[in-house]
Amino acid sequence: MNWITNYVRPRINSIFSRREVPENLWQKCDECGTMLFHRELAENLNVCTQCGHHMNISPRARFTGLFDGGVFVEVDVPEPVADPLHFRDQKKYPDRMKAAQKGSGEKEAMLVATGEIGRTPIVAAAQDFSFMGGSMGMYVGNAIIAAAQEAVKLKRPLILFSAAGGARMQEGILSLMQMPRSTVAVQMLKEAGLPYIVVLTHPTTGGVTASYAMLGDVHIAEPNALICFAGPRVIEQTIRETLPEGFQRAEYLLDHGMLDRVVKRTDLRDELITITRMLMKLPPVVRGELPAPAVKADEPAAEKTAAPKPTESKAAAKS
């Protein structure tokens, strides 16, 4: 009886019991509702393989797909005062920061890095919408200044990926001060003659749109990205008018001359390489390299590379 209880029954249960499946293996598309396998979605840069909907992507995952070989070096950003206003609503501001850091895995709402795209050295900065809505606080202002200073020091172009709900209310006027600070940082790039390219992703709103997000030399947006200062719902309630379809979306802004490109995320890397090399007056990128011809072991390399002498060729012709 002990043998049946201790060995046979657990063995049968292990064979027929239902295996536990991790919850994060599948993700549902917000647009079409298709269940997408996490590896397939990650390989497609968080773009739905069925309808092409662009989901949110973290700065670290974006940089992995952007830089050559996924290799980049983070740039140190000066740490601001943790809680300058001692702000508290339903939670204390430091508690909200800890929750955002735990949920996103990042210490703040912007990541700055250096690396190469298509063998073109650049400096890149990206906002993380999962971190308190990518809100613009003092750290974000410091990050933009650090990115601009690094670009000027290394003489590289700066590419910025914006994704924000606006200013961070927990920092009050100190958050709004990042608008002129970031404008000065952009001016540093212009005075150094370095390109500043902005990629506007969904959503880019509020004070971010009113400052560094719309000061680039080239503005590129991802498809169907919401780009505005005040949202369409607020505008409709204010003017009491029905807005056009697709109002404040990337395609609408492109048609009205506010953007230069609307590019799919999967094609964005090649587009940035081309534009960056053009602005830096570099030759076109090498798309592929052929390997050197193989040298046979029984033939000396000198015989394969040396050209025949004229006398030898004439003698061969006479014979």
Side-chain angles (χ1 to χ4, degrees):
M1 197 67 177
N2 292 336
W3 177 77
I4 295 175
T5 304
N6 297 333
Y7 179 77
V8 177
R9 184 176 294 174
R11 183 68 175 172
I12 294 174
N13 291 339
S14 65
I15 295 173
F16 294 100
S17 62
R18 186 177 181 180
R19 296 182 180 179
E20 295 183 359
V21 179
E23 296 180 356
N24 58 348
L25 288 181
W26 298 86
Q27 184 171 344
K28 186 177 181 180
C29 176
D30 303 331
E31 189 71 18
C32 65
T34 303
M35 297 300 295
L36 304 169
F37 189 54
H38 71 110
R39 290 181 182 174
E40 182 182 6
L41 186 61
E43 290 175 357
N44 208 39
L45 300 177
N46 278 25
V47 178
C48 179
T49 56
Q50 298 298 319
C51 66
H53 175 65
H54 286 55
M55 306 181 191
N56 290 335
I57 184 172
S58 67
R60 201 168 294 274
R62 185 184 289 276
F63 285 171
T64 301
L66 176 68
F67 288 105
D68 295 347
V71 179
F72 58 90
V73 179
E74 295 186 36
V75 176
D76 293 331
V77 177
E79 294 282 349
V81 180
D83 188 10
L85 303 180
H86 303 286
F87 189 92
R88 177 170 183 168
D89 44 21
Q90 296 177 347
K91 293 182 180 179
K92 292 181 180 180
Y93 182 36
D95 294 339
R96 288 193 180 277
M97 288 289 292
K98 291 178 182 178
Q101 290 170 352
K102 183 178 179 180
S104 65
E106 301 291 344
K107 63 180 180 179
E108 252 290 351
M110 180 168 278
L111 181 66
V112 183
T114 60
E116 294 185 351
I117 55 171
R119 296 189 176 181
T120 308
I122 67 162
V123 177
Q127 287 181 273
D128 189 356
F129 191 76
S130 64
F131 192 103
M132 297 184 69
S135 52
M136 178 182 61
M138 292 187 294
Y139 185 94
V140 172
N142 290 349
I144 295 173
I145 293 174
Q149 290 175 342
E150 190 74 9
V152 172
K153 182 179 73 173
L154 300 177
K155 296 181 180 179
R156 298 183 179 184
L158 174 60
I159 301 177
L160 187 141
F161 299 85
S162 63
R168 186 172 296 177
M169 68 174 187
Q170 288 86 351
E171 296 183 9
I173 189 64
L174 299 175
S175 175
L176 296 177
M177 288 173 61
Q178 307 315 308
M179 296 171 63
R181 290 185 73 212
S182 61
T183 304
V184 173
V186 173
Q187 186 62 30
M188 291 168 49
L189 294 169
K190 296 185 181 297
E191 292 177 356
L194 297 171
Y196 173 51
I197 303 171
V198 181
V199 180
L200 300 109
T201 69
H202 178 78
T204 300
T205 62
V208 173
T209 310
S211 55
Y212 57 86
M214 299 303 292
L215 295 176
D217 299 309
V218 178
H219 293 97
I220 304 173
E222 292 184 345
N224 203 37
L226 177 65
I227 304 166
C228 61
F229 181 76
R233 178 178 57 84
V234 176
I235 295 177
E236 281 189 342
Q237 292 177 352
T238 303
I239 66 175
R240 298 180 181 179
E241 295 287 343
T242 302
L243 299 175
E245 185 178 357
F247 182 69
Q248 293 182 328
R249 295 289 174 169
E251 292 77 7
Y252 184 91
L253 296 180
L254 178 65
D255 293 339
H256 290 77
M258 296 294 292
L259 299 175
D260 300 300
R261 294 279 195 281
V262 175
V263 183
K264 297 179 181 178
R265 188 180 297 164
T266 51
D267 301 331
L268 190 56
R269 169 181 155 85
D270 292 338
E271 188 77 13
L272 288 174
I273 292 173
T274 302
I275 293 175
T276 302
R277 295 187 72 87
M278 287 178 60
L279 294 177
M280 294 296 290
K281 298 180 180 179
L282 297 173
V285 65
V286 177
R287 296 295 179 183
E289 295 182 356
L290 296 176
V295 179
K296 295 182 180 180
D298 55 346
E299 295 183 10
E303 293 182 4
K304 294 181 70 63
T305 56
K309 295 181 181 180
T311 55
E312 294 177 351
S313 59
K314 290 180 180 178
K318 289 179 180 180
S319 62

